[in-house]
């Protein structure tokens, strides 16, 4: 397989935005949290910005921007599966910002559902010529076909050592998150497409949404903004099925940390994450 480029992936090496505060307030409303636009954006909220702006006619059958590269013909399905984000400084709204992207690696691998194309990207966000966000993003491109089974019977989870919260990802939440992140992927809002074409038992919760909910929970229980966040998705979460967020606080040489899981009603873990809080000044 020839080497992919950012253009093949529908990406550019540089995007600009002023990060409008109004847009951040829409994200806050979507997540049911308060947001003071005069403060630093919470970690991960830059995901609501710098998204490809493509006309509706330029979308493919899945709702993503159409990928014209023949290198991706065998891999029509795209999944955001993990990564790591680190704050190098405060990210402020209503400020000229630049996101720079480069392709770190690509590898064709064998998965349980067939061949996979694993792509790793690096993003940096700059304000006032200073890097404030560094991100590694892992994306998987899958072959078509296959059916994802529904969640099994509900189980009772044993009490954890830390905190536990329950979140219900409704259709309205998924739709609003798709809108505020300009994500057209139809598995998140088009039930017929998700079930008939991509073989899911229902609408799928966005990986970035799950990560934001975990990061939000960690910051709340640690009582501080986050400095870093790493995450890995392992199984899909589905609409209208409660998601249990479990977290345990601890300490590391870098400061206070939290390890977390997002678990389905059948006890299957959908995402794991580790967060580190900012240190006191």
């Amino acid at each position: 397989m020839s080497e992919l480029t950012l253009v093949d992936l529908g990406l550019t090496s540089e995007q600009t935005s002023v990060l409008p505060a109004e847009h951040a307030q829409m994200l806050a409303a979507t997540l049911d949290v308060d947001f003071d636009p005069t403060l630093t954006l919470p970690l991960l909220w830059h995901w609501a910005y710098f998204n490809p702006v493509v006309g509706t006619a330029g979308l493919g059958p899945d709702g993503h921007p159409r990928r014209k590269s023949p290198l991706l013909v065998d891999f029509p399905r795209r999944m955001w599966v993990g990564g790591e984000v680190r704050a190098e400084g405060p990210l402020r709204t209503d400020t000229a910002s630049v996101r720079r992207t480069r392709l770190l690696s690509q590898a064709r691998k064998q998965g349980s559902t067939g061949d996979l194309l694993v792509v790793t990207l690096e993003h940096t966000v700059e304000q006032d010529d200073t890097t404030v966000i560094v991100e590694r993003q892992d994306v998987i491109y899958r072959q078509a076909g296959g059916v994802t089974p529904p969640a099994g019977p509900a189980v009772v989870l044993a009490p954890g050592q830390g905190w536990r919260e329950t979140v219900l990802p409704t259709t309205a939440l998924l739709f609003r998150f798709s809108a505020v992140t300009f994500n057209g992927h139809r598995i998140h809002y088009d039930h017929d497409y998700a079930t008939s074409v991509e073989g899911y038992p229902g609408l799928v919760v966005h990986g970035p949404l799950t990560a934001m909910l975990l990061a939000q929970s960690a910051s709340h229980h640690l009582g501080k903004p986050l400095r870093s966040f790493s995450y890995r998705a392992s199984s899909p979460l589905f609409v209208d099925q409660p998601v249990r967020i479990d977290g345990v606080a601890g300490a590391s040489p870098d400061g206070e940390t939290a390890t977390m899981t997002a678990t389905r009603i059948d006890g299957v873990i959908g995402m794991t994450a580790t967060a580190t809080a900012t240190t006191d000044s």
Side-chain angles (χ1 to χ4, degrees):
M1 184 174 182
S2 304
E3 290 293 309
L4 288 167
T5 67
L6 290 178
V7 173
D8 294 326
L9 301 174
L11 300 172
T12 59
S13 60
E14 184 175 304
Q15 288 180 271
T16 61
S17 174
V18 296
L19 308 189
E22 181 183 17
H23 196 71
Q25 290 171 320
M26 292 178 184
L27 177 58
T30 300
L31 300 175
D32 285 317
V33 297
D34 295 325
F35 172 67
D36 183 346
T38 66
L39 300 179
T40 300
L41 278 169
L43 195 66
L44 307 188
W45 282 30
H46 67 287
W47 288 345
Y49 302 95
F50 305 112
N51 295 301
V53 178
V54 177
T56 304
L59 300 180
D62 61 354
H64 279 304
R66 186 176 290 110
R67 297 180 291 275
K68 300 179 181 179
S69 171
L71 301 176
L72 293 172
V73 169
D74 294 334
F75 304 99
R77 297 188 180 173
R78 178 181 181 273
M79 301 170 60
W80 191 345
V81 296
E84 181 177 8
V85 183
R86 186 175 72 254
E88 299 288 353
L91 183 66
R92 301 180 302 276
T93 59
D94 294 329
T95 302
S97 310
V98 180
R99 190 186 77 168
R100 305 186 196 280
T101 298
R102 65 189 184 107
L103 180 58
L104 292 184
S105 66
Q106 57 180 299
R108 189 164 183 162
K109 298 184 179 181
Q110 181 67 34
S112 59
T113 58
D115 283 352
L116 304 172
L117 179 61
V118 182
V119 173
T120 299
L121 302 166
E122 180 190 70
H123 307 291
T124 60
V125 179
E126 299 176 9
Q127 291 186 334
D128 299 325
D129 297 321
T130 300
T131 298
V132 292
I133 295 289
V134 176
E135 175 179 7
R136 189 197 79 247
Q137 178 189 3
D138 300 322
V139 181
I140 285 180
Y141 293 86
R142 295 195 299 122
Q143 294 175 317
V147 175
T148 300
V155 300
V156 178
L157 297 180
Q161 297 179 340
W163 69 86
R164 174 168 292 172
E165 301 170 349
T166 300
V167 177
L168 183 65
T170 63
T171 303
L173 173 60
L174 268 59
F175 180 82
R176 294 183 94 188
F177 190 79
S178 288
V180 81
T181 57
F182 207 54
N183 182 347
H185 197 182
R186 293 167 64 185
I187 64 171
H188 304 305
Y189 61 86
D190 185 336
H191 181 272
D192 288 344
Y193 174 85
T195 56
S196 300
V197 178
E198 297 220 11
Y200 289 106
L203 297 179
V204 181
V205 180
H206 314 65
L209 172 57
T210 304
M212 281 192 179
L213 293 172
L214 288 170
Q216 181 177 301
S217 179
S219 181
H220 172 73
H221 287 279
L222 293 175
K224 299 177 182 178
L226 299 184
R227 186 175 75 250
S228 67
F229 186 84
S230 60
Y231 61 101
R232 175 62 53 181
S234 51
S235 295
L237 306 176
F238 303 113
V239 71
D240 292 330
Q241 295 185 0
V243 177
R244 299 181 181 98
I245 295 177
D246 286 285
V248 178
S252 74
D254 294 329
E256 293 183 72
T257 65
T259 55
M260 289 160 296
T261 56
T263 305
R264 302 189 325 197
I265 58 172
D266 58 357
V268 172
I269 294 176
M271 182 175 287
T272 57
T274 300
T276 302
T278 57
T279 55
D280 292 326
S281 57

